[in-house]
Amino acid sequence: MPDLERDGRSELPYGLVLRSSEVGGRVGEVRRWAAAGTPVRDAAPGRLPEQLLADHVPEPIARLLGTAAQEAGMRPVLTVPLSDLAVPRRPVGPDRSGAPGPHLLLEAPAPPPDEGQVLLEADATGVVRWVFPGAAVRGGRTDRAAGAQTFRVPMEQFALPAGGPAADRGIVAFGVGKALHLLRFPIERAAGLAADFAVSRWEKRHRPYRLRLTTPQTFLAAGEQADNGASEGSGGQVSMGRLAELADQPFLLFVHGTFSRCRTGFRGIVDDEPLLHDLHRRYDGRVLAFDHPTVHLDPVDNARWLLEHLPADRRLTLDIVTHSRGGLVARHLSGDGLAGAGRPAPSVRMLVHVATPNAGTALAEKQRLSDLLGVFTNVLGLFPEELVSTTLEVVLEVVKHGATGVLGGLDGLAAMDPASEALSELNASTVPTEGSVRAVTSDFEPARDAALLDGLVDRLFGVGNDLVVPTEGVHRAGSYVVPHPLVVPSASAVAHSGFFRDAQVRVGLSEWLPGR
């Protein structure tokens, strides 16, 4: 294996060039995959799941990610293994200097005009990260004109907690060994020219709006059933007429978060059959699930769609349980400015924020899109497979979108940027009345399996967080302050997508939701 000289330049096979900034180490044999010699539309899937397992990516995320990437048309073309990496020692804690820090620059041949490419970094400790081409990070594709794209791979190193899973494999720290996988994927063409990958087209097709009136048996109804014209009882769209008939009593409404659907986002409630049946009993069957696109449309658009599908002549009373970004959607529902002429806004009697980014999340900043996607990719490995696959599909579509250099069209994610003007305006208001709003949050501190991911995210935030949303930002955002939040103890190790699997959270819901 050739040496990687600190601050040096190495010419590798297949047109690759690796430049080092403060990083030394060894470069292994570059692997050229079969897809490198053919258009990716025609290339066989390859064996990416097996490769990720060999890279120490844990099961089941190696299998799920590898399979989902292949199904999304992503094909590995080149792999660069790195070992014995070393960087200068840095002070512990977040670096606020703005300096780039130790990193590698991998220069790779640009893809054809109808293809995009992205780098999947697999650390030897099992953590994966997405790396966009440099020009894509800046919002363009100018590097294609030069016949090459450059990927900047940051190089952090820190030790594992004693007894961590990677230590069991003999890995002493994050950042010592890595495999860099260059993946290519087809992008659509229009008028003979390469068109930007539009995640909005995918989301409209696969994540459409739907407001369902549920039973304990139909809460998990698959979206395909409703798309094929299923009746209300099996999960189809509820009519305004039916809502008007039931409007004499309050409804319970569930609103999911980013990349999710109600049947996955609230699976922890569904698995608690006594609670699920009790909620339907309390509300006499008036339990609604609101599925909506979360990436290309912002929370105001989501709230407006819902208002337009409520009765025009009856004012509904809602108790709302939300997860993540869904809490922002719910906050817009009672705004008179969104209601159409003669259409009353609903009365929100109780609003429960679970992990809502009321103060935003730094991961939603445009320049950190790849960090957001990387965190979600890794977090999915902490949960059962049935909660992972549908979310991973959306994540990969956004990965492809961002890798083409199209940083616009992601209004649903941009709405969670702490610097968002809309978020600032929303947080100029206060909580309506004492006891009408509840908040649930956590500071994720895992014992073992996610210790490295937690360490990386803590370095991004610099404050307590649930891996996606800052702990305090759920209940304290400008003038919008929710008193007496439920802060799940760190010993429970509740991550952003796992709140409803925690018994304390479900007990809280049972106590707060009044029913009829």
Side-chain angles (χ1 to χ4, degrees):
M1 293 188 292
D3 287 330
L4 175 63
E5 298 290 343
R6 185 167 293 178
D7 298 319
R9 178 181 186 277
S10 300
E11 293 192 6
L12 305 178
Y14 313 116
L16 297 175
V17 176
L18 189 63
R19 294 184 175 88
S20 162
S21 176
E22 301 185 83
V23 183
R26 305 279 286 172
V27 182
E29 183 178 355
V30 177
R31 176 178 179 179
R32 185 175 188 267
W33 295 71
T38 183
V40 292
R41 294 178 189 273
D42 304 326
R47 300 178 63 83
L48 185 57
E50 291 82 356
Q51 179 63 56
L52 293 177
L53 276 173
D55 296 335
H56 304 294
V57 176
E59 260 276 348
I61 197 61
R63 174 174 49 82
L64 290 170
L65 173 57
T67 301
Q70 292 176 165
E71 291 176 350
M74 305 175 84
R75 302 287 184 263
V77 291
L78 295 170
T79 293
V80 181
L82 304 170
S83 62
D84 299 326
L85 297 172
V87 300
R89 290 186 176 273
R90 298 263 178 177
V92 176
D95 184 359
R96 305 296 187 188
S97 68
H103 62 274
L104 297 173
L105 292 177
L106 181 67
E107 182 182 295
D114 59 350
E115 294 180 9
Q117 64 184 6
V118 67
L119 200 66
L120 176 61
E121 171 197 338
D123 191 83
T125 54
V127 175
V128 298
R129 297 194 294 189
W130 297 101
V131 184
F132 292 162
V137 173
R138 298 186 296 273
R141 290 190 291 180
T142 55
D143 52 356
R144 287 174 179 252
Q149 288 185 323
T150 301
F151 299 85
R152 181 181 176 277
V153 182
M155 294 298 301
E156 307 96 332
Q157 285 190 338
F158 56 92
L160 282 169
D168 295 340
R169 295 193 296 267
I171 305 298
V172 297
F174 177 88
V176 174
K178 296 182 183 293
L180 307 180
H181 302 292
L182 189 66
L183 309 182
R184 286 187 181 175
F185 52 88
I187 56 178
E188 299 183 34
R189 299 177 64 87
L193 299 174
D196 297 329
F197 184 88
V199 71
S200 62
R201 288 195 292 271
W202 186 93
E203 202 170 26
K204 289 174 183 176
R205 188 161 56 241
H206 297 282
R207 295 292 184 271
Y209 280 112
R210 185 172 299 109
L211 180 64
R212 298 185 291 121
L213 185 65
T214 73
T215 69
Q217 294 74 35
T218 64
F219 197 95
L220 289 180
E224 291 77 12
Q225 292 176 324
D227 290 338
N228 292 332
S231 65
E232 289 179 8
S234 58
Q237 175 76 25
V238 64
S239 68
M240 284 187 280
R242 181 58 176 154
L243 292 175
E245 291 175 5
L246 299 173
D248 58 319
Q249 298 290 337
F251 289 82
L252 175 59
L253 173 68
F254 288 92
V255 187
H256 63 76
T258 305
F259 303 139
S260 189
R261 303 294 272 174
C262 282
R263 63 191 178 97
T264 54
F266 300 104
R267 183 60 183 265
I269 294 176
V270 177
D271 289 342
D272 187 339
E273 290 190 16
L275 175 59
L276 184 66
H277 282 263
D278 182 50
L279 292 177
H280 280 82
R281 179 192 58 78
R282 287 191 203 183
Y283 289 87
D284 197 19
R286 294 170 171 84
V287 178
L288 297 166
F290 179 39
D291 288 322
H292 56 283
T294 64
V295 176
H296 79 283
L297 295 176
D298 68 26
V300 177
D301 293 317
N302 300 148
R304 183 177 291 111
W305 185 96
L306 181 55
L307 286 169
E308 291 172 351
H309 288 76
L310 298 182
D313 56 348
R314 298 293 302 273
R315 188 181 192 192
L316 270 58
T317 297
L318 302 177
D319 293 337
I320 311 177
V321 176
T322 71
H323 179 241
S324 190
R325 174 191 177 282
L328 303 181
V329 177
R331 289 179 64 186
H332 287 290
L333 281 178
S334 58
D336 293 335
L338 290 183
R343 185 180 297 274
S347 172
V348 179
R349 184 178 64 167
M350 169 63 70
L351 170 57
V352 181
H353 290 295
V354 178
T356 297
N358 282 312
T361 170
L363 293 180
E365 296 171 1
K366 185 178 293 186
Q367 67 271 25
R368 284 185 167 172
L369 175 60
S370 61
D371 290 326
L372 174 70
L373 298 169
V375 168
F376 267 95
T377 301
N378 287 285
V379 165
L380 293 177
L382 304 178
F383 302 103
E385 182 173 339
E386 62 268 21
L387 304 182
V388 172
S389 57
T390 56
T391 301
L392 195 53
E393 289 176 3
V394 192
V395 170
L396 292 178
E397 295 307 319
V398 180
V399 167
K400 293 191 289 186
H401 182 101
T404 61
V406 187
L407 298 186
L410 302 176
D411 294 350
L413 302 182
M416 299 184 292
D417 187 332
S420 163
E421 183 176 340
L423 196 59
S424 297
E425 293 176 359
L426 194 62
N427 289 330
S429 63
T430 60
V431 169
T433 58
E434 178 76 19
S436 65
V437 182
R438 300 285 184 170
V440 182
T441 185
S442 80
D443 184 0
F444 181 70
E445 293 293 341
R448 285 175 60 89
D449 292 349
L452 278 169
L453 179 60
D454 182 51
L456 282 171
V457 173
D458 285 349
R459 282 162 169 74
L460 290 173
F461 280 108
V463 296
N465 60 82
D466 66 6
L467 293 182
V468 176
V469 173
T471 304
E472 188 170 292
V474 177
H475 60 91
R476 186 176 296 276
S479 298
Y480 191 79
V481 179
V482 183
H484 315 301
L486 170 57
V487 182
V488 181
S490 59
S492 300
V494 173
H496 184 74
S497 299
F499 278 89
F500 298 104
R501 300 173 68 204
D502 186 84
Q504 302 162 91
V505 176
R506 298 197 304 274
V507 168
L509 293 179
S510 182
E511 294 176 350
W512 299 332
L513 297 172
R516 289 180 289 173

